[in-house]
Amino acid sequence: MSPIIHYDISSLREALQPYRSQQSDRQERQQRIALVPTMGNLHDGHLELVRIAKQYVDVVVVSIFVNPTQFGVGEDFDSYPRTLDADVTKLATVGADYVFAPSIDAMYPVLPPPTAVLAGNIANQLCGQSRPGHFDGVGIVVSKLFNIVQPDVAVFGQKDYQQLAIIKQLVRDLSYSINVIGAPIVRADDGLALSSRNQYLSADERQVAPVLHRELQEFAQKLKSTVLSQQVFDQLLVDTRRRISDAGFIIDYLEVKTEELGSVVSDSTTFNIENENIVILVAAWLGRARLLDNQLVVIN
Ligand code: PAF
C-alpha cells in the first residue's frame, strides 16, 4: 500500500492522533510511532531505516524535506535531487505508513529562523569544520520534526556518524522522550556506502569510490593488529591519506576519534586505545561528490 502523504503540519498531526496512547483506551495495545527523517532521493540505505523502524513500532512516518538551513553558501541546496513521486513508490515497497513532505514555508515561517538549536563543541570538528553552521541547521530541523511527529522512536543512519552523535546529544539535552536508533551503513556490493550524493559521481569516479571503504577497513585492521606507538600510528595515517589522495580524492578530513568523538589519548611514545572503541572517519571529495564514510574499531 502506498504511504499517505501530508504536506502540512496540522493534517499530519491529525492523522497521527489516533495512534497516540490514550488514557481512556488502556485495553488497546499501545501503538507507537517512528520517524525516519530524510531529504528524499531515497536509496536502499533509507529503505533499510524504514525496515528497522518497523521492527519497533506500528506506524512509520518518513519525512522528506530538503532543509535549507543545513546547506551553506555555494553548497548543493538548489541542485539537490527532489524525487518525491519515485520516493513514495519506493516507500510503498517497505511499508512506510505516512510521508511528511512539507514546504519550506510550512517548516520555516521566518527564514532564517530566529530561534537557534546550537550543536555546541561536538560540531566544531570533522564535518562541522568544513561546513560551519551545518549541524545547527540539522539541529533545528530535527527538533521541529520531533515536535511535529512526536515519535517514540527515530532512526538515523550511522554513515552520518557525527550527525547521529549530535542528535543523541540533542535528545538528551532537550529531554525528548525518543529512542534514537543508529542503523548500520548500507553498502553497494563493492563496499561504497550508499548516499544520495553518489549520483554526482561520473562512471569512472564510481569505479574509484570504493577505495575509501577499503582504506578504512585496512586502517582498522592495522590498528587492531599492530603494536602501536604514536610514531607507527602517525605513519599509518600519513600512508592512508596518501593512498586515498593518489586514488584521486581530495581529502577533507581523515581522523581517528573515540566512539564518543573525543580525542584519542596519546603522548609522544605510547598510543593508548586499550579501553575504548574508536572510530575512523573520513570525508573526501571525488569530483563533485563529497563522500563520507566511517569504520568503528572495537577494541577488546
Ligand atoms: O541525514 C539527513 O538526510 C538530514 O541531515 C536530516 C537528518 C534528514 C535532516 O535534514
Side-chain angles (χ1 to χ4, degrees):
M1 232 175 58
S2 207
I4 299 168
I5 309 178
H6 289 273
Y7 298 96
D8 63 80
I9 295 172
S10 55
S11 76
L12 179 73
R13 279 193 172 138
E14 210 174 303
L16 294 179
Q17 194 49 43
Y19 301 107
R20 302 198 189 285
S21 57
Q22 283 168 9
Q23 294 284 331
S24 58
D25 221 352
R26 279 178 194 279
Q27 263 80 313
E28 294 246 320
R29 185 162 86 91
Q30 183 183 336
Q31 302 210 53
R32 303 181 78 214
I33 299 170
L35 172 65
V36 177
T38 80
M39 297 205 301
N41 197 235
L42 304 181
H43 49 68
D44 271 352
H46 296 111
L47 301 185
E48 186 60 16
L49 302 183
V50 176
R51 285 188 202 102
I52 290 172
K54 285 185 79 70
Q55 294 169 12
Y56 289 84
V57 299
D58 303 308
V59 179
V60 178
V61 181
V62 178
S63 63
I64 296 183
F65 179 62
V66 184
N67 172 36
T69 64
Q70 70 187 78
F71 287 80
V73 177
E75 291 189 348
D76 56 345
F77 174 71
D78 289 331
S79 57
Y80 199 88
R82 284 144 172 101
T83 54
L84 184 61
D85 290 346
D87 291 344
V88 171
T89 306
K90 288 178 188 167
L91 288 172
T93 66
V94 285
D97 300 282
Y98 294 98
V99 168
F100 178 49
S103 65
I104 291 182
D105 287 349
M107 286 297 275
Y108 294 114
V110 178
L111 197 61
T115 302
V117 177
L118 302 180
N121 277 345
I122 192 173
N124 299 335
Q125 56 178 331
L126 305 169
C127 286
Q129 232 171 26
S130 35
R131 304 184 70 189
H134 167 67
F135 288 119
D136 300 334
V138 170
I140 191 147
V141 80
V142 170
S143 302
K144 286 175 72 75
L145 291 168
F146 283 174
N147 288 327
I148 293 164
V149 176
Q150 293 172 38
D152 303 287
V153 171
V155 190
F156 295 85
Q158 283 170 356
K159 183 177 74 66
D160 298 301
Y161 192 95
Q162 189 178 12
Q163 170 172 280
L164 179 60
I166 286 168
I167 287 162
K168 286 181 175 165
Q169 171 187 269
L170 178 145
V171 163
R172 184 197 66 208
D173 290 351
L174 299 185
S175 307
Y176 283 108
S177 173
I178 298 173
N179 180 12
V180 174
I181 312 281
I185 299 175
V186 178
R187 299 183 181 280
D189 289 345
D190 59 11
L192 176 65
L194 297 191
S195 162
S196 300
R197 288 188 169 103
N198 289 352
Q199 69 191 70
Y200 297 159
L201 296 168
S202 69
D204 286 347
E205 288 160 354
R206 178 62 190 80
Q207 298 294 312
V208 170
V211 164
L212 219 46
H213 175 53
R214 279 205 296 274
E215 286 297 336
L216 294 198
Q217 275 184 311
E218 208 167 299
F219 194 171
Q221 199 46 50
K222 285 183 181 147
L223 284 181
K224 282 189 81 154
S225 60
T226 317
V227 179
L228 285 178
S229 64
Q230 184 67 44
Q231 205 185 4
V232 170
F233 172 77
D234 289 344
Q235 194 58 50
L236 278 177
L237 206 53
V238 167
D239 291 346
T240 308
R241 282 207 181 103
R242 199 203 52 247
R243 282 195 301 272
I244 292 174
S245 300
D246 287 353
F249 291 86
I250 295 172
I251 296 176
D252 184 349
Y253 60 78
L254 172 68
E255 293 196 36
V256 179
K257 296 276 176 183
T258 66
E259 211 174 354
E260 261 78 54
L261 293 183
S263 301
V264 173
V265 180
S266 61
D267 61 35
S268 54
T269 50
T270 59
F271 191 82
N272 178 10
I273 55 167
E274 265 146 41
N275 297 319
E276 210 169 354
N277 294 337
I278 54 176
V279 58
I280 311 168
L281 304 112
V282 68
W285 288 91
L286 190 57
R288 279 178 60 221
R290 182 172 177 276
L291 304 180
L292 294 185
D293 207 339
N294 63 77
Q295 178 77 47
L296 193 66
V297 187
V298 178
I299 309 289
N300 37 40

